[in-house]
Amino acid sequence: MTRSPEQLLESVEQGRRHPKGWQWRFLSGAAILWSLFQLWVASPIPYQFGFGVFNDTETRSIHLGFAIFLVFLSFPGRNKAATDRIPLYDWALGGMAAFCALYLFLFYGDLANRAGDPTALDIGVAVAGVILLLEATRRALGWPLTIIALVFLGYTFAGPWLPDVMAHKGASLERVASHQWLGTEGVFGVAVGVSAGFVFLFVLFGSMLEQAGGGQYFIRVAYSLVGHLRGGPAKAGVLASGLTGMISGSSIANVVTTGTFTIPLMKKVGFPGFRAGAIEVAASTNGQLMPPVMGAAAFLMVEYLNISYLEVIKHALLPALLSYIALMYVVHLEAVKAGMQGHPLPYRPLQAKLLGWGLSLSGLAVFSFVAWLAVDLVTRISGDYAFWANGVLILGGYVALMYLEARHPLPDQLDPEQLDGAQLPTPGEALRGGLHFLLPIVVLIWCLMLLRLSPATAVFYAILLLVAILLTQRSLKRLFSGKPLLPGFQDGWRDLVVALRDGARNMIPIGVATATAGIVVGTVSLTGIGQVLGDLVEILSFGSVPLMLILTAVICMILGMGLPTTANYIVVSTLMAPVIAQLAASHGLEIPLVAIHLFVFYFGILADDTPPVGLAAYAASGISGADPIQTGLQSFYYDLRTAILPFMFVFNTELLLIGIDSIPEFLVVLASSLAAMLLFAAATQGWWLTKCKWWEVGALLLIVFSLFRPGFWMDQIYPPSETRPAIEFTQAAEGWQAGETFKLIVEVEEGEGEIIQRTLAFQRPEGAAERVLEKLGLITQPEGDALRIDTIGFLSPAEEVGLIPGFAVRVLGFEEALPQPDKDWLLIPPLLLAGLIGWGQIRRREAKAA
């Protein structure tokens, strides 16, 4: 039986089971209790009163206990099982699973006292817990992640019987059970810690904002800005998906939220069903790449990379914006090719532009600036009472905005049949009709970026404001409209209860997914499989760095199929990020770790629309009525613009705003990368100013590469370095600054006795030039023009990049940097070529029109 998109969303994120009577009340109550527990843990109240304080391990245990218990109550074990009641065996399985998860909380002191010496009961609980977790994962997320976890568990036990390249000494059942369940290296590791610490809170934040009406507000604003243009519904869908995707943790939820309105309207203006669905899928999937939340992956990166949240946002922002702008342009080209026309507006085009973009965007900027000034002023005046004073200021601003909205009311729910032509609200009306929904987002960003609070604390304060909005917005509207208040309060309480319940139910699959992803993480730390994957990728890529990246990208898309964003990033970053780092170091490439993590994250997310498991494509096809496989393939074709970005920013880290020291330099990078993305969209669509000829497509792709990587051509003209013999190393090192990067060319003996060369990057340590190699861990003796390696220091920089004592033979030479002209000069030729192609297309278009 075909399921509606809402049913698909519900079955994927909340469970297909809807019991009746006391069972439904119990299920809802447990979900609400989970939300209240997470809010309690995030609040400062336990620390102020010294009551109800939980450490990290206890919090993780209770968090997973709720998640795994609710899985067995919400998700039937079989597709044909009854969904109107919870059978007795699921109550039993849920209770057993919850006990296994809560075991670390209930017996925390005893487990700590006998760490490393588990009892038979400990091992039994651990084994049962892993089995029940795998069953819960199968129910909530299907087979993909379950199979991945089983494969990794099997690899743990089968190590001694595997081929040499994959073999390891293996582990006993007792050791595996203890490692995976009773400590913090496996299931209850960093992944569940992040899920319990703030992923839940961000999912709850999104649920509350949606229940309050924020999703409808974003869609209305998007339609008012671009709904009248060519292909307006599609452009509005892209913009609305970007706005909701910033705070949403699910591409499927994004598709259902915005696609319900955008896809029927896209079909109405002439888009085929599969293209309409594909546009919505591409936009919703890319929402997971958009700061400030990035499907909670931004906060995982903070933990994994040990950098600040602001650093993560800075690096991720430009690629995400480029991807969305290019998708908007793809939609425009599709509309132009189909001969679509925009809707006439009831006001002049100039006035539309001024009111639309000028009033809305600059007005929003002015609103944010005034809010910043007000908060800063109140903070300075109120001193120690700044928190309460700012709270009063924000609540006062909220009441004022509600008064403004009540004076000019707009419908709470959008009607897709009325979102065209003259029925479109003006940008000013749309923006004014829900400004109070921006206040929680402003509070969130303010706390994260300016006050530098932890993600959990920041989103906690934003949720407090959302609670106030949910409870009072209906009452305030009725008050300012002269209506009775009581129905508004009743509706507000109902909205809050539903938001608390749905936020927890949306979190169920994410909770078990992060726990199961912890099995993968635990296997890596127990067996060292990361090294094995690196060796396999290197063998399959024949030492080619581009092929290595392509293979890694394909593996990330396979691993990411069917996984929520958070679990997706945990799996691909645990397995594939070290592979890229290892192989880059062995080839002498300097790739920042944040670029590597964003690379695997991008390709993991692309699995959301990749057949045959792309659930977002299935949700969109349920709305459009098109074939889900065709929808998925078309959305992946649209996402080619996103797929090239990781390859570009790995080799040109300026796209991640790394190494940019001035505003003019930033503007050059912004302009060149934006031009490259738009031209790539034109090349893939086969249409720029008119239909492209085959050679124009090829020329545009060459221009795109040249704009993204001008340094490649500069390296061909002016080599960036020269190779010198190793015997001259000490003399050259005298002129280098401490911390300056250089590369050594080293001979290494492979397992079969084959001697190969590797180029390895190092940073010059402080101290005398003659001791540089020694500080790197290389003890050498002259041997002609080379240096024979006698030994390699333990845990030295040389060992960290993969040199092994006895297998590293000689240092043959080193690469010394040479001066180069500014590579930005090489942006001029591709821009001139683009202008020549554009001029030819204009002439061809005019001739055709004549």
Side-chain angles (χ1 to χ4, degrees):
M1 183 178 65
T2 303
R3 290 180 289 176
S4 71
E6 290 80 6
Q7 290 173 328
L8 178 64
L9 171 65
E10 193 172 49
S11 65
V12 169
E13 301 207 347
Q14 296 186 356
R16 293 187 297 112
R17 188 173 277 154
H18 283 279
K20 309 227 184 309
W22 71 268
Q23 290 188 336
W24 172 248
R25 290 191 294 272
F26 184 91
L27 178 59
S28 299
I32 294 170
L33 186 61
W34 189 13
S35 292
L36 295 176
F37 166 75
Q38 296 290 164
L39 289 172
W40 174 266
V41 171
S43 74
I45 298 175
Y47 301 95
Q48 291 177 353
F49 292 96
F51 170 77
V53 178
F54 301 95
N55 63 35
D56 288 343
T57 302
E58 292 172 329
T59 302
R60 296 172 188 183
S61 175
I62 298 172
H63 174 82
L64 182 57
F66 272 113
I68 201 167
F69 177 66
L70 289 171
V71 166
F72 286 101
L73 299 191
S74 303
F75 292 83
R78 296 176 295 110
N79 288 333
K80 295 182 180 180
T83 59
D84 60 347
R85 60 184 176 84
I86 304 174
L88 183 61
Y89 62 83
D90 274 348
W91 285 103
L93 289 173
M96 291 170 56
F99 172 76
C100 292
L102 292 170
Y103 193 75
L104 273 72
F105 167 70
L106 297 173
F107 303 99
Y108 178 78
D110 295 337
L111 290 170
N113 290 332
R114 59 173 182 265
D117 186 24
T119 64
L121 177 61
D122 295 339
I123 299 302
V125 168
V127 172
V130 170
I131 294 172
L132 289 168
L133 175 61
L134 292 174
E135 168 59 13
T137 304
R138 183 195 68 82
R139 292 186 177 206
L141 295 156
W143 282 105
L145 183 56
T146 310
I147 291 174
I148 290 173
L150 286 171
V151 167
F152 277 84
L153 285 174
Y155 176 80
T156 305
F157 294 110
W161 300 280
L162 293 172
D164 288 344
V165 70
M166 301 177 65
H168 61 92
K169 65 180 181 180
S172 65
L173 176 64
E174 178 180 309
R175 186 183 178 198
V176 172
S178 178
H179 185 84
Q180 294 286 10
W181 196 266
L182 300 178
T184 56
E185 294 289 328
V187 169
F188 294 96
V190 173
V192 168
V194 172
S195 176
F198 40 80
V199 172
F200 186 102
L201 296 175
F202 278 95
V203 172
L204 181 61
F205 178 80
S207 174
M208 285 186 165
L209 190 60
E210 176 64 29
Q211 185 65 31
Q216 299 281 321
Y217 172 67
F218 289 142
I219 295 172
R220 184 185 291 116
V221 170
Y223 266 96
S224 70
L225 291 172
V226 297
H228 63 284
L229 303 175
R230 283 185 175 188
K235 293 176 180 176
V238 173
L239 185 57
S241 294
L243 292 172
T244 56
M246 287 192 300
I247 56 170
S248 170
S250 167
S251 53
I252 304 172
N254 210 343
V255 167
V256 174
T257 300
T258 59
T260 304
F261 298 95
T262 59
I263 292 175
L265 284 171
M266 286 189 230
K267 294 176 66 178
K268 186 176 179 180
V269 298
F271 284 98
F274 74 96
R275 291 189 189 278
I279 290 170
E280 181 58 47
V281 170
S284 297
T285 301
N286 282 195
Q288 306 304 291
L289 308 175
M290 180 65 72
V293 176
M294 298 165 60
F299 309 108
L300 281 163
M301 288 184 190
V302 171
E303 297 288 326
Y304 288 166
L305 301 178
N306 196 26
I307 60 178
S308 70
Y309 172 78
L310 280 179
E311 284 291 304
V312 172
I313 296 306
K314 182 186 81 171
H315 298 317
L317 182 59
L318 182 58
L321 289 175
L322 290 174
S323 182
Y324 261 104
I325 293 171
L327 180 58
M328 190 77 79
Y329 189 53
V330 165
V331 169
H332 174 74
L333 293 176
E334 289 279 22
V336 171
K337 287 192 294 183
M340 299 178 188
Q341 300 297 324
H343 290 296
L345 291 171
Y347 40 87
R348 298 189 306 274
L350 177 60
Q351 185 182 3
K353 293 178 180 179
L354 291 176
L355 288 177
W357 296 102
L359 178 61
S360 300
L361 298 182
S362 62
L364 185 59
V366 170
F367 170 78
S368 302
F369 180 69
V370 171
W372 177 79
L373 286 179
V375 171
D376 185 64
L377 179 62
V378 169
T379 301
R380 292 174 183 273
I381 295 174
S382 53
D384 294 338
Y385 301 96
F387 174 81
W388 300 105
N390 282 322
V392 172
L393 175 66
I394 292 170
L395 291 177
Y398 161 62
V399 173
L401 290 175
M402 291 304 302
Y403 176 75
L404 177 65
E405 294 169 27
R407 294 283 303 274
H408 306 279
L410 291 174
D412 291 336
Q413 296 293 325
L414 298 174
D415 183 357
E417 296 299 323
Q418 296 180 354
L419 288 177
D420 60 359
Q423 283 73 38
L424 283 170
T426 66
E429 291 172 345
L431 188 66
R432 187 177 59 234
L435 276 173
H436 70 285
F437 294 124
L438 301 179
L439 287 175
I441 300 175
V442 170
V443 169
L444 174 63
I445 296 175
W446 177 275
C447 292
L448 282 172
M449 294 189 174
L450 296 179
L451 299 183
R452 304 293 182 94
L453 299 179
S454 69
T457 305
V459 73
F460 173 75
Y461 289 132
I463 287 174
L464 285 186
L465 180 56
L466 265 175
V467 169
I469 290 174
L470 281 165
L471 290 175
T472 62
Q473 64 173 348
R474 295 180 185 272
S475 300
L476 288 174
K477 285 183 179 180
R478 297 180 71 88
L479 173 65
F480 295 135
S481 302
K483 299 178 181 178
L485 295 182
L486 183 58
F489 279 118
Q490 293 172 337
D491 291 341
W493 275 106
R494 184 172 60 250
D495 289 341
L496 177 59
V497 169
V498 171
L500 290 171
R501 182 196 68 200
D502 289 351
R505 297 191 71 199
N506 289 341
M507 187 64 200
I508 295 171
I510 299 176
V512 296
T514 53
T516 307
I519 294 177
V520 177
V521 177
T523 302
V524 172
S525 62
L526 190 61
T527 65
I529 190 177
Q531 179 71 37
V532 173
L533 283 173
D535 293 340
L536 284 175
V537 170
E538 184 166 24
I539 291 170
L540 294 174
S541 63
F542 304 102
S544 167
V545 174
L547 187 56
M548 175 264 291
L549 291 174
I550 292 172
L551 284 172
T552 305
V554 172
I555 294 172
C556 287
M557 286 192 286
I558 294 172
L559 291 173
M561 287 184 178
L563 302 189
T565 301
T566 311
N568 187 324
Y569 172 65
I570 293 168
V571 171
V572 297
S573 64
T574 301
L575 292 177
M576 302 314 300
V579 171
I580 298 179
Q582 170 191 332
L583 296 181
S586 67
H587 288 80
L589 294 178
E590 302 171 48
I591 304 178
L593 202 54
V594 66
I596 294 173
H597 276 251
L598 285 172
F599 181 94
V600 298
F601 178 55
Y602 266 59
F603 282 104
I605 290 301
L606 287 178
D608 274 358
D609 60 9
T610 306
V613 193
L615 295 178
Y618 280 88
S621 64
I623 302 172
S624 66
D627 178 66
I629 301 298
Q630 187 181 19
T631 301
L633 290 173
Q634 185 65 39
S635 65
F636 183 76
Y637 179 68
Y638 287 148
D639 271 338
L640 285 177
R641 77 203 189 286
T642 304
I644 69 159
L645 274 171
F647 289 97
M648 295 300 106
F649 63 59
V650 159
F651 291 106
N652 180 12
T653 54
E654 288 183 346
L655 294 174
L656 302 179
L657 305 184
I658 296 175
I660 295 180
D661 302 319
S662 64
I663 293 179
E665 193 175 0
F666 166 74
L667 293 176
V668 169
V669 171
L670 177 63
S672 61
S673 57
L674 181 58
M677 281 302 293
L678 296 180
L679 291 175
F680 181 80
T684 55
Q685 290 297 304
W687 191 289
W688 186 18
L689 303 175
T690 188
K691 185 176 181 180
C692 296
K693 298 182 178 180
W694 68 266
W695 62 268
E696 290 177 329
V697 171
L700 287 175
L701 292 176
L702 178 62
I703 292 168
V704 169
F705 177 80
S706 302
L707 292 176
F708 270 133
R709 284 208 61 203
F712 175 83
W713 301 114
M714 183 61 73
D715 291 347
Q716 308 307 309
I717 301 171
Y718 294 94
S721 62
E722 67 173 351
T723 302
R724 296 175 59 182
I727 200 67
E728 301 177 7
F729 179 82
T730 299
Q731 178 185 355
E734 291 179 353
W736 298 341
Q737 301 293 323
E740 186 175 345
T741 300
F742 65 91
K743 296 179 181 179
L744 292 181
I745 303 169
V746 181
E747 272 188 345
V748 179
E749 182 180 347
E750 291 289 282
E752 301 296 329
E754 180 185 1
I755 301 296
I756 64 171
Q757 292 184 11
R758 283 190 172 179
T759 303
L760 304 173
F762 296 95
Q763 288 186 336
R764 189 205 191 284
E766 295 182 354
E770 58 268 16
R771 298 198 60 194
V772 167
L773 290 179
E774 182 181 342
K775 288 189 174 184
L776 295 177
L778 296 170
I779 308 302
T780 62
Q781 294 291 335
E783 188 178 272
D785 285 343
L787 297 173
R788 187 183 73 252
I789 300 175
D790 290 338
T791 186
I792 294 173
F794 180 64
L795 295 180
S796 64
E799 189 180 67
E800 289 177 1
V801 297
L803 293 182
I804 302 173
F807 291 91
V809 183
R810 292 189 302 169
V811 179
L812 297 180
F814 63 96
E815 293 184 4
E816 186 172 35
L818 296 175
Q820 283 184 310
D822 190 340
K823 67 180 184 304
D824 291 341
W825 287 107
L826 291 184
L827 294 173
I828 297 176
L831 290 175
L832 291 175
L833 179 58
L836 186 63
I837 294 174
W839 176 70
Q841 290 202 351
I842 290 173
R843 290 190 60 187
R844 200 158 69 243
R845 185 178 64 185
E846 291 176 347
K848 183 178 179 180

